[in-house]
Amino acid sequence: MDKKEALINYCLRLGDTSLILGQRMAEWCSNGPILEEDIAMTNLALDLIGQARTMLTYAGELEGNGRSEDDLAYGREEREYYNTLLSERPNGHFGETISRNFLHDAYLYHLYAALKNSKDEMIAAHAAKSLKEVTYHLRHSSEWMVRLGDGTEESHNKVQQAINDLWEYTGDLFEMNEVDNLLINEGIAVDMNTVKQAWDNTVNEVLTRAAIQRPEDAYMHSGRLNAVHSEYLGHIIAEMQFLHRAYPDATW
Amino acid sequence: MEDIKKLEEFQAKIDADLKIEPKDWMPEEYRTHLQRQISQHAHSEVIGMQPEGNWISRAPSLRSKVVLLAKIQDEAGHGQYLYSAAETLGKSRDEYLEELHSGKAKYSSIFNYPTLTWADIGAVGWLVDGAAIVNQVSLQRTSYGPYSRAMVRICKEESFHQRQGYEIMATCALGTPEQKKMAQDALNRFWWPSLMMFGPHDSESAHTANAMKWRIKRETNDELRDKFIQKTVQQAEVIGLTVPDPDLKWNEADGRYEYGEINWDEFWNVVKGNGPCNKQRMRHHIKAHEDGTWVREAAIAYAEKQKSKQLVA
């Protein structure tokens, strides 16, 4: 693997993660618990898909075969997607979505905070811009974590259960392979161990405020780095890609 | 006696084109007319999120996905200002939602039609938002201040939506044969329901007379419908689509299009709840509302805990 291949893969990880989480958030449209939350969740989806577009466009440019953002989003299959396992978890009820997003927002927040010093100018600029958005996302999910965790007994139990259930997908967020090693040496990527420490601090702080117990680390699922996903991803992308694939000659 | 004097003063204000504001005296019928009309308008914005939201996950490009998401977000925002405007008339959003769920309040029947293909998303933007703009431009001059100001803001965004819808339609109409077929089919299904959005003929409309006298409405249903038809037929021709009205023809002498009669049986059927999606839309809205109950309760419980902590401190 050379630097270019590693960088393309790194961009796909970032782009795919935003795309899949964005696709999940868009499912909330017209289903929010209040109108204001419907607006907020659509807004999160908009930010995330915007982030995906930047990274997929860049991956296509690096590749140099003329593939556009849409070719990459609509033309790849499950085993070519490098999103986090956490991003594809189903929305479930509002508390499950908030819990998933909180764990994920804290991850992207610290990842982008570190990547804004990347030696790759595009990645650095993308991280700086996305950090502004993710700061708001993290605030949104953290505030809801606290409200639900310290709200009623029912809301507390629902969120505690959601965090317990999602915990086993958090290990995947921080795994590294030769792509990371190569790009860390180039000053492009960041050491996920450092991101993990910052993530731990944020998660601990918010869970404490929310009166939610942090689960013990036990078995962690893994798969992102090798594009091995849960069954959910295939359905997300089948739905997303259907029209584009049904009319291959069409432009929209 | 006093009421007659107040009513005269009220009508004089209206006739002088002054705005009525929430704290001003107003006849009860004026208040209830506006409560009905503004909440119906708010509900329409919110229910409209369902047929449009139906295609976000399947939008055929990332750009079109983002445009559609932003549009739906705007519609939700319109719902929000309109509920706020309606609340100035002395009823809460919760009360308005109860009226929606019980079937007492209506929303625009157009959203009881399904969005079956991507071109339908174009048709909704072009025709449905196009029809809504004609109505809303006129409502910018409505006599009730909060409603008028909401309309000014909403019109700015709606005209973007209409252009975006037309762009989707034009792209399909000028695309592959399958895309063109999809565009024509969407126009065929959405044309007549869009014309029905303006409501019954003036002669059949229960609310038109008072609404005109009080300048809640500034133009009648038939006048607005005619404006919409005159501008939209040409737009269809430009992209090579055929308006599905066999009686449609250009009248050279008058410089305007003549057109056929709406199927009013279909109109009343859908109003009465028999449209393709009436039950689905309402069940969806009620389910989302009920599923959110524990969330709203938690938010209230949390806010109360914070308040009592502040009192102790």
Side-chain angles (χ1 to χ4, degrees):
Chain A
M1 171 168 300
D2 61 15
K3 180 183 154 193
K4 186 175 112 176
E5 285 166 348
L7 188 53
I8 292 169
N9 183 263
Y10 204 76
C11 293
L12 291 178
R13 291 182 193 176
L14 294 173
D16 291 348
T17 295
S18 295
L19 179 59
I20 298 303
L21 191 60
Q23 189 79 359
R24 278 292 190 218
M25 290 317 289
E27 290 173 23
W28 271 103
C29 178
S30 81
N31 292 301
I34 46 168
L35 187 55
E36 284 70 10
E37 273 311 300
D38 234 304
I39 296 173
M41 290 194 282
T42 328
N43 205 39
L44 299 174
L46 260 175
D47 286 348
L48 289 162
I49 292 167
Q51 291 166 13
R53 293 181 70 188
T54 310
M55 276 299 101
L56 294 182
T57 301
Y58 186 41
E61 283 167 12
L62 288 166
E63 196 183 55
N65 297 330
R67 286 211 282 182
S68 67
E69 58 178 27
D70 287 338
D71 292 328
L72 287 167
Y74 292 88
R76 284 178 302 144
E77 297 180 3
E78 291 91 316
R79 296 280 288 107
E80 299 168 281
Y81 261 78
Y82 291 94
N83 59 287
T84 60
L85 296 184
L86 191 59
S87 65
E88 71 202 40
R89 300 311 298 163
N91 286 341
H93 58 62
F94 184 73
E96 290 175 276
T97 291
I98 288 296
S99 300
R100 178 196 64 203
N101 284 20
F102 164 65
L103 297 171
H104 211 286
D105 295 342
Y107 164 72
L108 287 181
Y109 176 84
H110 291 295
L111 179 59
Y112 287 137
L115 282 178
K116 75 181 196 302
N117 301 316
S118 169
K119 283 197 179 149
D120 183 280
E121 279 178 25
M122 265 303 289
I123 300 247
H126 172 68
K129 179 178 172 284
S130 304
L131 182 63
K132 288 185 193 150
E133 295 169 346
V134 173
T135 301
Y136 156 77
H137 301 179
L138 178 60
R139 196 166 66 208
H140 175 258
S141 57
S142 300
E143 282 174 4
W144 271 111
M145 281 303 294
V146 174
R147 245 179 244 137
L148 297 176
D150 192 19
T152 61
E153 193 184 341
E154 182 186 9
S155 68
H156 173 86
N157 292 343
K158 281 190 147 118
V159 170
Q160 180 69 63
Q161 188 62 50
I163 289 286
N164 294 350
D165 292 344
L166 290 163
W167 200 252
E168 65 206 41
Y169 299 98
T170 57
D172 175 68
L173 300 172
F174 304 101
E175 289 189 348
M176 292 190 281
N177 65 7
E178 70 278 14
V179 169
D180 297 80
N181 297 334
L182 198 156
L183 295 179
I184 289 169
N185 283 335
E186 298 279 341
I188 293 173
V190 292
D191 185 343
M192 295 311 286
N193 293 315
T194 319
V195 175
K196 172 75 162 57
Q197 281 171 12
W199 181 85
D200 274 332
N201 292 339
T202 301
V203 168
N204 291 344
E205 188 253 322
V206 174
L207 290 186
T208 305
R209 274 168 54 214
I212 295 291
Q213 257 188 338
R214 179 180 165 127
E216 294 292 324
D217 282 348
Y219 180 77
M220 291 287 178
H221 296 283
S222 154
R224 169 181 68 108
L225 300 177
N226 299 313
V228 175
H229 293 274
S230 66
E231 288 179 349
Y232 295 112
L233 183 69
H235 292 275
I236 298 173
I237 67 175
E239 188 169 329
M240 181 172 80
Q241 295 177 344
F242 126 81
L243 188 58
H244 195 88
R245 284 183 182 272
Y247 300 96
D249 302 331
T251 49
W252 305 92
Chain B
M1 264 321 271
E2 203 185 324
D3 271 4
I4 294 175
K5 192 162 166 264
K6 280 182 182 162
L7 189 60
E8 280 170 1
E9 283 170 8
F10 170 82
Q11 191 64 49
K13 238 188 200 173
I14 301 249
D15 294 343
D17 255 342
L18 295 172
K19 296 289 179 225
I20 305 299
E21 295 299 335
K23 287 185 178 151
D24 295 347
W25 184 88
M26 61 186 82
E28 207 42 37
E29 294 84 351
Y30 179 82
R31 182 184 300 278
T32 51
H33 186 109
L34 280 166
Q35 285 174 332
R36 186 179 51 74
Q37 182 169 333
I38 303 175
S39 68
Q40 178 171 330
H41 198 158
H43 298 325
S44 302
E45 299 280 359
V46 169
I47 297 295
M49 294 167 73
Q50 292 180 38
E52 296 196 271
N54 185 36
W55 278 90
I56 300 173
S57 67
R58 295 176 289 172
S61 67
L62 295 182
R63 177 179 174 272
S64 65
K65 193 187 290 287
V66 168
V67 169
L68 180 59
L69 269 165
K71 173 186 196 287
I72 299 174
Q73 197 191 23
D74 285 348
E75 307 292 4
H78 299 169
Q80 207 186 8
Y81 334 135
L82 285 163
Y83 282 125
S84 301
E87 284 187 319
T88 64
L89 293 157
K91 247 191 220 181
S92 67
R93 197 202 289 185
D94 284 343
E95 289 172 278
Y96 287 119
L97 286 177
E98 271 168 38
E99 290 179 354
L100 175 67
H101 293 165
S102 73
K104 185 180 169 216
K106 300 271 186 253
Y107 55 88
S108 179
S109 280
I110 192 76
F111 300 121
N112 290 319
Y113 290 87
T115 51
L116 302 176
T117 71
W118 175 249
D120 288 10
I121 295 302
V124 169
W126 173 39
L127 301 175
V128 176
D129 289 326
I133 292 167
V134 170
N135 194 23
Q136 288 166 352
V137 163
S138 175
L139 285 171
Q140 292 181 101
R141 296 184 300 125
T142 190
S143 59
Y144 188 57
Y147 193 27
S148 157
R149 290 187 288 273
M151 283 302 117
V152 171
R153 196 164 163 186
I154 288 173
C155 278
K156 287 186 190 146
E157 294 179 346
E158 291 290 2
S159 57
F160 271 108
H161 299 169
Q162 201 223 356
R163 264 178 274 167
Q164 289 161 352
Y166 189 62
E167 186 195 302
I168 292 176
M169 219 47 184
T171 307
C172 288
L174 305 169
T176 64
E178 292 98 335
Q179 281 175 299
K180 176 158 191 182
K181 195 172 149 202
M182 205 184 268
Q184 182 61 53
D185 174 59
L187 175 59
N188 292 350
R189 284 179 291 108
F190 276 92
W191 175 254
W192 291 106
S194 302
L195 301 189
M196 293 177 198
M197 285 175 68
F198 295 95
H201 281 315
D202 300 336
S203 54
E204 307 283 325
S205 172
H207 304 294
T208 293
N210 272 341
M212 297 296 288
K213 183 176 81 187
W214 290 328
R215 299 195 181 170
I216 293 174
K217 289 183 77 152
R218 306 297 306 244
E219 289 162 280
T220 67
N221 295 353
D222 288 330
E223 286 164 353
L224 293 167
R225 183 164 23 237
D226 184 71
K227 270 192 185 171
F228 173 71
I229 295 171
Q230 300 304 332
K231 72 171 189 162
T232 309
V233 171
Q234 282 178 344
Q235 293 170 353
E237 285 171 355
V238 168
I239 53 175
L241 296 180
T242 308
V243 171
D245 177 355
D247 298 322
L248 184 82
K249 57 174 185 284
W250 176 250
N251 180 322
E252 193 64 51
D254 296 348
R256 57 188 295 285
Y257 290 97
E258 290 172 6
Y259 40 85
E261 189 57 44
I262 287 171
N263 176 350
W264 292 106
D265 289 341
E266 178 182 330
F267 173 83
W268 290 113
N269 248 321
V270 180
V271 169
K272 285 174 188 155
N274 299 318
C277 301
N278 296 55
K279 292 187 184 79
Q280 176 189 339
R281 300 285 184 247
M282 208 34 56
R283 277 189 201 132
H284 180 123
H285 196 271
I286 291 171
K287 182 175 186 299
H289 189 73
E290 287 175 353
D291 287 352
T293 305
W294 70 271
V295 177
R296 297 189 297 274
E297 284 170 359
I300 292 167
Y302 177 75
E304 279 169 2
K305 279 187 201 174
Q306 293 308 103
K307 221 191 289 169
S308 56
K309 272 186 202 161
Q310 276 174 357
L311 286 177
V312 173

